[in-house]
Amino acid sequence: MNRAVALRIAACGLLGLGAALLIAALLLTTYTKGKIAKIPLDIDTSLVSDGTATAFDPDSLVAERFKIDRDVPVALQQQMSVEAPSNADVVTFQVGTTLRRTDRQQDAGLLLALVDTVTMNRNTAEAVSSENNPGGAVQKPRAIEDEKPPTNIALPHEGLTYRFPFDTEKKTYPFFDPIAQKAFDANYDGEEDVNGLTTYRFVQNVGYDADGKLADPIKYSSLYEDDADASVTARAEVWGVPGEPDESITMDRFYAASRTFWVDPVSGTIVKSEEHGYQYYAREALKPEVTYVDFKVTTNEESVESQVAAASDERDRIALWTRILPITFTALGLVSLVGGAVLGSFALRTESTLIDPGLDTADHGFFDTQGIQVPGAEAKTEKLPAQRPTDLPPDRPI
């Protein structure tokens, strides 16, 4: 194989490599992001929010009067895991939420408990449903001594739940509340730094107005067949309200909440949240009479750090495939194309020289190893024989 053929092969290889790298960069930019920007299927996390509350004392259920304690420490915990069905398009979250009084041991301090299941689109984070999957469910409450497997009550979800979409925008999103069993608006409220991460802040009101006043509370939807915890009848003395002590009074349970979410706009991960929840019993919706729980909690620092780290990992993964690799492939592709073009030029010159050396020197003398052409340098010279002088004295050496 001569030099011209080798250069031509190398040039073609570099040109092909450059074209392939540029095509790969284009595909990564336009096509791959839709495949990469998806909610992970390996989420298994526990998030804790701490705060204080005015809360019902469960021990007073057997006392002569319901007791309400003020400024008690509480913890709201969410245990989130991925369940079936989950695949390339959808992911199903099962989220167990509990609110406990931390000044009480185990079940003695349990105030609220809910197991919510939702299937959502992995790109948009919106709830989806099908003929075989209603898109969501809540677990039916069980007694402590009940050993039967838990059963679910179908609850179709709508809008967002537990996540925001990738590339979150500065706008209003419907965000589902499993206690109210419907979606309420989560309104964009500005940007804020959370542990070095720029986040979008969203505010959602359920039953409250924009000023934080009780405006349209939700009647509590019981998960018991007899609505045992949604409508309660007791004597006025037990309720602790004015009236005849033995008067039988029936009150309904109402619910309201105000939430603030801090969201990573790239991945849609909620890195921090603050919640004010209020559940009470009353004969009229806007006239609370007996508080069940009135709490305010904020995600603790450990959970915030965990969510920020998860959001950063997703950011890095997306950036790698949609920005870093495309830029790298584009740069390498351009270098390869330029290198291929240069080698191709060398190959043509080499081939021309092998065919007719004069073609190259006539143009630019590219292959002239001396650098300077000397006219007549290769002309033949005639050597004349030297004549022996004859007129010198005999005794003089020649």
Side-chain angles (χ1 to χ4, degrees), residues 162-193:
Y162 307 112
R163 296 272 303 208
F164 279 72
F166 285 86
D167 297 326
T168 301
E169 300 179 35
K170 299 177 179 180
K171 67 177 188 178
T172 296
Y173 290 94
F175 200 89
F176 191 79
D177 186 315
I179 298 178
Q181 300 186 359
K182 60 186 296 186
F184 294 84
D185 287 344
N187 301 302
Y188 174 75
D189 191 49
E191 294 186 10
E192 189 171 332
D193 181 272

Side-chain angles (χ1 to χ4, degrees), residues 26-276:
L26 180 63
L27 290 176
L28 286 173
T29 304
T30 59
Y31 174 77
T32 306
K33 185 174 182 179
K35 302 296 181 181
I36 297 297
K38 291 186 175 183
I39 299 173
L41 296 177
D42 59 351
I43 292 178
D44 186 2
T45 185
S46 180
L47 306 176
V48 179
S49 299
D50 299 321
T52 58
T54 296
F56 176 78
D57 183 356
D59 292 340
S60 66
L61 284 172
V62 294
E64 295 181 357
R65 181 175 178 174
F66 295 148
K67 180 184 177 183
I68 309 299
D69 296 327
R70 298 183 180 278
D71 295 325
V72 298
V74 293
L76 180 70
Q77 182 174 8
Q78 283 188 334
Q79 181 65 49
M80 184 181 301
S81 60
V82 174
E83 306 292 335
S86 294
N87 51 46
D89 300 317
V90 300
V91 61
T92 299
F93 282 169
Q94 184 177 80
V95 182
T97 303
T98 59
L99 178 69
R100 295 177 179 273
R101 292 180 54 164
T102 56
D103 61 338
R104 300 292 178 87
Q105 297 295 320
Q106 299 179 350
D107 292 333
L110 184 63
L111 296 171
L112 300 171
L114 179 70
V115 179
D116 182 35
T117 302
V118 58
T119 300
M120 62 184 70
N121 183 289
R122 291 182 63 192
N123 292 110
T124 66
E126 293 184 351
V128 296
S129 59
S130 63
E131 294 181 358
N132 300 325
N133 178 25
V138 289
Q139 194 174 103
K140 187 176 180 180
R142 295 185 302 161
I144 297 176
E145 65 276 3
D146 191 352
E147 297 181 354
K148 295 180 180 179
T151 56
N152 288 335
I153 302 172
L155 177 61
H157 289 47
E158 57 182 0
L160 308 177
T161 314
Y162 307 112
R163 296 272 303 208
F164 279 72
F166 285 86
D167 297 326
T168 301
E169 300 179 35
K170 299 177 179 180
K171 67 177 188 178
T172 296
Y173 290 94
F175 200 89
F176 191 79
D177 186 315
I179 298 178
Q181 300 186 359
K182 60 186 296 186
F184 294 84
D185 287 344
N187 301 302
Y188 174 75
D189 191 49
E191 294 186 10
E192 189 171 332
D193 181 272
V194 177
N195 287 20
L197 187 71
T198 300
T199 64
Y200 290 174
R201 186 175 59 250
F202 291 86
V203 175
Q204 181 192 49
N205 288 310
V206 179
Y208 287 108
D209 61 17
D211 297 324
K213 296 181 179 180
L214 198 63
D216 188 19
I218 308 299
K219 189 172 182 179
Y220 187 80
S221 298
S222 177
L223 299 178
Y224 292 98
E225 294 179 358
D226 56 358
D227 291 342
D229 57 347
S231 183
V232 177
T233 300
R235 293 180 295 111
E237 183 181 20
V238 176
W239 283 116
V241 298
E244 293 295 328
D246 293 332
E247 180 185 359
S248 181
I249 297 176
T250 298
M251 293 191 187
D252 293 322
R253 186 171 172 179
F254 294 91
Y255 164 72
S258 177
R259 299 182 180 90
T260 302
F261 305 106
W262 286 265
V263 181
D264 169 34
V266 177
S267 66
T269 303
I270 300 174
V271 300
K272 179 182 176 182
S273 65
E274 182 178 277
E275 180 171 351
H276 173 210

